[in-house]
Amino acid sequence: MARRRFAGPRGQLSCSDPHGYRPDPVGFGLVNNAGIFRFAGTVETDQATFDAHIDVNLRAPFLLVQALAPAMATRGRGAVINISSGAAAAPGFGTGIYGASKAALESLTRVWAAEFGSAGVRVNAVAAGPTRTEGTAAYGAAFQAAAKSVALQRLAEAEEIAGAVAFLASDAASYVNGTTLDAIGGLPAVG
């Protein structure tokens, strides 16, 4: 398993891939797709859970962009795609710190787009709706019910979110910068 460590001002971040891919520190793209979600109300969210959400959902992407975007800028091209969530914009019971960490990531997406855009580095985000993954499978029927909250009335497959990411990383999106692409299955009609 390839492993790479990036040092930042608040510590180290380790990246690994079971297929042996080694991130190129001056490569073309970065997808910040690591994330955690532990749902609880504000009163029930302890400091460790709060810190974990900030560390994984916000600090890790920050450290990776800090470490890799300058080399992309020197090269004159690059694409950063941050994985956000529909919870960043739509309040949900128990999603407070998760949604807040993703909203902050969307804010950084816009800041980084402005900061690195003139050097040819595009920074965008994909706000994923409820998606079937190994992590969400642990929530069972409660997560399956989330399908009813979107217009398509079904959960997304991970490959569908990957398609949105692939578009933003491609030349077809060469003039897209600083935006969040909603891959949330659509908003249901009200009324």
Side-chain angles (χ1 to χ4, degrees), residues 102-188:
K102 293 300 188 173
L105 184 60
E106 288 183 13
S107 179
L108 283 175
T109 297
R110 293 183 296 275
V111 168
W112 292 331
E115 190 173 338
F116 297 107
S118 65
V121 179
R122 296 178 298 107
V123 184
N124 293 291
V126 173
T131 305
R132 192 184 323 273
T133 66
E134 289 179 25
T136 60
Y139 288 95
F143 188 75
Q144 295 292 328
K148 299 295 181 200
S149 69
V150 302
L152 290 178
Q153 296 289 292
R154 66 176 179 82
L155 299 175
E157 299 298 328
E159 295 79 11
E160 293 174 299
I161 305 306
V165 171
F167 165 70
L168 289 174
S170 76
D171 288 338
S174 62
Y175 203 66
V176 180
N177 189 36
T179 195
T180 297
L181 181 108
D182 284 339
I184 60 170
L187 299 175

Side-chain angles (χ1 to χ4, degrees), residues 49-142:
T49 299
F50 181 95
D51 290 345
H53 278 84
I54 296 303
D55 286 346
V56 175
N57 296 349
L58 192 59
R59 182 171 287 122
F62 180 87
L63 292 175
L64 284 166
V65 168
Q66 185 181 54
L68 299 177
M72 291 181 207
T74 298
R75 198 181 247 185
R77 66 187 175 107
V80 176
I81 297 99
N82 296 313
I83 304 303
S84 185
S85 168
F93 292 107
T95 64
I97 189 55
Y98 172 72
S101 68
K102 293 300 188 173
L105 184 60
E106 288 183 13
S107 179
L108 283 175
T109 297
R110 293 183 296 275
V111 168
W112 292 331
E115 190 173 338
F116 297 107
S118 65
V121 179
R122 296 178 298 107
V123 184
N124 293 291
V126 173
T131 305
R132 192 184 323 273
T133 66
E134 289 179 25
T136 60
Y139 288 95

